[in-house]
């Protein structure tokens, strides 16, 4: 059932690792505290979430923990809250005022530290600026920024006034920016002159200009620009403003934290699905914040001395939940790095861990495999003794990479938390708790307390032990998505129609004799390349939008570093001339349509695609062919067996 088939190789994995004595001796929380919570959650999940929610700062308490029927439920109904107060005000008004909230390092090695006091001040001022620009409760604001502290400032400022932010990863192309801004009808875009990547400058403001140049309706009234790199840029009169100048003009602005309903939307984040159009996942304020705050506290075992580095970009859900909202709600110090992992040298990560004394590292398997390949010597020359806990997220981590992470990076002392969750779940759903859980390489272990997860057969029964099935969530959880922006039908259809009142994750999984969950990859046309979620349909639509392309079929194959990689099979229009530069041209076309990270690994130009008699492209055959050069599966439904023969011949020619 899995697209990448990796699970078969983990079936015999039975190594078990208990938290080391060293870890337990200095852990932030005790086993008995957690056992108490587990007990509470298993007896009364709502009472458990109530207790978690009480750790936030509320303006007015809620009257009902959970209201309504899945999927349209409301958590903490009646409560009034503002996410920026839980993340900032209460810390800024405590002894944490001078504690670092964000330590940022740029690619060129520059370092900026913002204390809770400073971050609170910056966010409050920026909130006042947003208000003075006419942004109000419920308005959508796009944020298209490199990974700099201003990203967190902009997000929290939106939260402060009740505007709904939609962060667009700075690797997305102008077309993708335009689609997202248009879909959510943003009133404003917050961007920067540029960002850095591998020593090069990416001119973000220019990309925004391109995106806005052909937007049909004029929804965007204002573009606020941070001068991050101090490079020249064009400014459109009446629309574009420098943040620094606007702030200097602002007097006596309203910096207050709006009083918002618990289920007021905090943000929209676009993610890929099985159609060509990305979906704007909506998250609530209180439910989302409760889940990310509680999971951050228990899964990352936060204590006040920690320096927590989540390597994700803020443009993805991991950056929202564990670089901004989760850690800041806990008053933790986060480390943020704008730049490429191996730049300017393969030891960049390890030198920063040593320099900033990072204690917890949360990264993706694709990064782990890249480091593994670049050689242990880059790690061994640095003192990583500050590290006490390691995390993994985004895709299944293969046992070999897990063991390497454990022994080389963690020096056998740091527990690993392999955390399973999704953009739609808001926060972590399945993960070890480092003080408690015996971990097995490759398994995300057990559901977090209060999370009701199961594995279903096709007809909705719980799977037998070790049988693969569909991963589902049977009861509402606080961080659950509230919908897809502007498309309730798609929301119901994608997640809530396969099984009544049960959330369908789109992942395959099995459970072993210890109750450990083993994730088996996506069961739909969503693939995971370097921890980035991509829909094969999206890439196909990008390809067919090129004038020479007639048809395209995109499949995923296993890749040692990126987990999965994309191979595109393309047929050309009759009059198109085929030359050797066409492959590269089409790869670049995808980069231009979506973003460079979505480029297929290979483009194959073929005469015809294998189809069933009813005209459906048989992607399964293409996948087999791309993966192994062979087709073993059933080909009886294939309309023209000759097509397959010609594809195989082409494959041999290319090899
Ligand atoms: C998909 C969600 C979770 C935030 C980053 C990605 C896969 C995620 C794991 C894991 C196995 C994982 C799933 C999921 N996934 N974490 N620990 N083990 N698979 O968020 O872009 O929404 O992607 O990533 O397939 O459905 P996303």
């Amino acid at each position: 059932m899995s697209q990448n088939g990796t699970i078969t190789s983990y079936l015999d994995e039975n190594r078990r690792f208990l938290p080391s004595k060293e870890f337990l001796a200095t852990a932030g929380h005790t086993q008995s505290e957690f056992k108490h919570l587990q007990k509470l959650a298993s007896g009364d999940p709502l009472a458990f979430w109530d207790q978690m929610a009480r750790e936030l700062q509320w303006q007015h308490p809620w009257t009902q923990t959970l209201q309504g029927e899945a999927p349209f439920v409301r958590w903490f109904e009646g409560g009034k809250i503002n996410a920026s107060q839980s993340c900032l005000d209460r810390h800024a008004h405590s002894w944490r005022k001078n504690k670092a909230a964000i330590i940022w390092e740029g690619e060129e090695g520059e370092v900026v530290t913002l204390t809770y006091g400073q971050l609170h001040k910056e966010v409050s001022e920026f909130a006042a600026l947003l208000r003075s620009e006419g942004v109000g409760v419920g308005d959508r604001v796009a944020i298209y920024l490199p990974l700099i502290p201003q990203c967190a400032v902009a997000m929290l400022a939106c939260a402060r006034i009740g505007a709904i932010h939609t962060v667009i990863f700075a690797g997305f192309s102008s077309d993708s920016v335009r689609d997202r801004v248009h879909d959510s009808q943003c009133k404003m875009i917050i961007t920067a002159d540029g960002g850095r990547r591998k020593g090069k400058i990416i001119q973000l403001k220019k990309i925004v200009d391109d995106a806005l140049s052909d937007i049909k309706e004029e929804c965007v009234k204002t573009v606020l620009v941070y001068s991050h790199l101090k490079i020249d840029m064009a400014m459109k009169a009446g629309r574009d403003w420098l943040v620094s100048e606007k702030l200097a003009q602002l007097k006596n602005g309203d910096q207050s934290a709006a009083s918002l309903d618990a289920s007021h939307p905090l943000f929209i984040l676009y993610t890929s699905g099985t159609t060509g159009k990305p979906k704007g996942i909506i998250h609530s304020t209180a439910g989302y914040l409760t889940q990310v705050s509680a999971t951050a506290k228990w899964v990352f075992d936060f204590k006040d001395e920690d320096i927590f580095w989540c390597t994700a970009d803020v443009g993805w859900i991991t950056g929202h939940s564990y670089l901004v909202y989760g850690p800041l709600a806990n008053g933790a110090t986060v480390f943020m790095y704008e730049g490429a992992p191996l730049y300017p040298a393969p030891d960049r990560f390890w030198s920063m861990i040593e320099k900033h004394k990072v204690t917890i590292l949360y990264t993706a398997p694709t990064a782990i495999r890249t480091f593994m390949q670049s050689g242990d010597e880059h790690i061994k020359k640095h003192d990583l003794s500050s590290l006490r806990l390691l995390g993994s997220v985004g895709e299944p981590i293969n046992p070999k990479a897990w063991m390497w992470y454990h022994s080389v990076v963690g020096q056998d002392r740091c527990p690993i938390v392999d955390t399973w969750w999704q953009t739609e779940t808001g926060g972590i759903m399945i993960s070890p708790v480092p003080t408690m859980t015996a971990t097995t390489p490759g398994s995300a272990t057990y559901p977090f307390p209060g999370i009701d997860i199961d594995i279903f057969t096709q007809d909705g029964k719980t799977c037998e032990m070790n049988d693969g099935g569909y991963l589902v969530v049977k009861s509402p959880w606080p961080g659950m998505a509230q919908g897809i922006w502007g498309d309730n039908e798609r929301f119901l259809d994608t997640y809530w129609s396969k099984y009544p009142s049960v959330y369908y994750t789109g992942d395959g999984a099995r459970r072993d004799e210890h109750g450990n969950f083993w994730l088996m990859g996506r069961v739909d046309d969503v693939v995971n390349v370097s921890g980035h979620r991509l829909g094969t349909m999206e890439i196909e639509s990008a390809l067919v939008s090129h004038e020479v392309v007639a048809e395209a079929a995109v499949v995923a194959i296993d890749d040692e570093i990126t987990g999965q990689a994309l191979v595109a099979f393309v047929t050309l229009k009759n009059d198109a001339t085929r030359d050797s530069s066409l492959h590269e041209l089409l790869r670049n076309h995808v980069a231009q349509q979506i973003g460079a990270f979505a480029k297929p690994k290979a483009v194959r130009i073929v005469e015809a695609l294998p189809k069933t008699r009813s005209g459906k492209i048989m992607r399964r055959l293409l996948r087999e062919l791309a993966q192994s050069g062979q087709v073993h599966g059933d080909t009886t439904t294939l309309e023209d067996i000759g097509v397959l023969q010609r594809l195989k011949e082409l494959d041999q020619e290319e090899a």
Side-chain angles (χ1 to χ4, degrees), residues 43-154:
D44 188 350
L46 293 186
F48 167 76
W49 288 120
D50 244 31
Q51 186 168 325
M52 296 297 110
R54 255 177 272 152
E55 294 187 17
L56 304 176
Q57 185 179 324
W58 289 82
Q59 293 174 352
H60 188 275
W62 60 99
T63 48
Q64 208 178 342
T65 306
L66 180 64
Q67 193 188 67
E69 296 285 315
F72 297 113
V73 300
R74 293 162 80 88
W75 281 88
F76 311 114
E77 187 61 5
K80 294 276 184 190
I81 192 165
N82 186 296
S84 82
Q85 287 182 312
S86 284
C87 292
L88 299 173
D89 299 49
R90 57 179 174 160
H91 307 310
H93 298 136
S94 77
W95 67 268
R96 288 197 182 106
K97 181 171 185 230
N98 296 319
K99 175 181 172 170
I102 298 174
I103 303 172
W104 172 85
E105 182 163 324
E107 207 177 55
E108 300 302 309
E110 62 278 43
V111 174
V112 171
T113 301
L114 282 176
T115 63
Y116 272 97
Q118 290 165 326
L119 187 61
H120 176 251
K121 184 166 177 282
E122 285 207 17
V123 167
S124 305
E125 288 170 358
F126 199 79
L129 170 58
L130 292 177
R131 280 195 178 108
S132 76
E133 290 300 311
V135 180
V137 178
D139 286 339
R140 276 80 58 208
V141 173
I143 299 177
Y144 186 63
L145 284 172
L147 191 47
I148 53 178
Q150 284 75 24
C151 224
V153 172

Side-chain angles (χ1 to χ4, degrees), residues 318 394-396 418-423 507 519 522 528 533:
T318 311
E395 49 178 315
D418 173 5
T419 61
W420 179 89
W421 55 295
Q422 309 175 300
T423 302
D507 273 37
L519 281 308
R522 299 289 307 197
N528 201 316
R533 189 207 282 208

Side-chain angles (χ1 to χ4, degrees), residues 149-370:
Q150 284 75 24
C151 224
V153 172
M155 290 161 79
L156 290 160
C158 286
R160 198 164 186 85
I161 68 168
I164 305 169
H165 61 71
T166 181
V167 182
I168 304 171
F169 171 55
F172 276 113
S173 67
S174 59
D175 285 359
S176 296
V177 173
R178 186 193 49 229
D179 291 350
R180 286 159 173 74
V181 165
H182 186 255
D183 186 74
S184 51
Q185 290 285 296
C186 294
K187 205 169 185 177
M188 175 188 270
I189 303 183
I190 301 166
T191 188
D193 51 354
R196 284 187 206 278
R197 192 79 189 172
K198 292 189 196 155
K200 291 202 198 88
I201 284 177
I202 301 158
Q203 299 196 27
L204 298 173
K205 172 62 170 56
K206 190 169 179 317
I207 298 173
V208 168
D209 290 342
D210 290 346
L212 292 183
S213 67
D214 54 0
I215 207 156
K216 283 178 204 74
E217 299 148 56
E218 287 265 305
C219 56
V220 177
K221 300 278 178 275
T222 314
V223 178
L224 289 182
V225 192
Y226 281 105
S227 176
H228 170 48
L229 301 179
K230 317 264 180 297
I231 53 174
D232 283 342
M233 56 188 157
M235 297 291 269
K236 186 172 171 189
R239 186 195 69 184
D240 305 349
W241 309 95
L242 279 178
V243 174
S244 52
E245 286 177 5
K246 277 275 170 193
L247 282 175
Q249 289 162 8
L250 193 71
K251 299 225 164 53
N252 305 322
D254 176 4
Q255 303 189 349
S256 65
S259 178
L260 303 167
D261 286 343
S263 47
H264 180 72
L266 180 61
F267 64 86
I268 301 170
L269 183 63
Y270 284 85
T271 189
S272 296
T274 52
T275 72
K277 191 177 182 294
K279 14 182 199 189
I281 300 295
I282 308 167
H283 278 292
S284 72
T285 301
Y288 169 81
L289 201 60
T290 297
Q291 179 139 359
V292 298
S293 159
T295 50
K297 174 173 173 180
W298 290 99
V299 172
F300 300 119
D301 185 54
F302 282 152
K303 47 182 187 173
D304 258 307
E305 308 83 288
D306 277 319
I307 311 282
F308 176 68
W309 184 13
C310 164
T311 69
D313 192 279
V314 78
W316 309 108
I317 190 71
T318 311
H320 282 61
S321 303
Y322 299 106
L323 195 56
V324 178
Y325 289 109
L328 297 182
N330 280 280
T333 299
V334 298
F335 175 66
M336 211 182 247
Y337 165 58
E338 178 203 1
L342 305 180
Y343 184 89
D347 69 336
R348 180 65 191 258
F349 258 47
W350 321 113
S351 79
M352 290 191 296
I353 289 174
E354 179 174 12
K355 177 167 151 196
H356 298 286
K357 300 202 167 36
V358 170
T359 59
I360 307 168
L361 175 66
Y362 188 36
T363 194
T366 185
I368 297 167
R369 291 189 294 262
T370 306

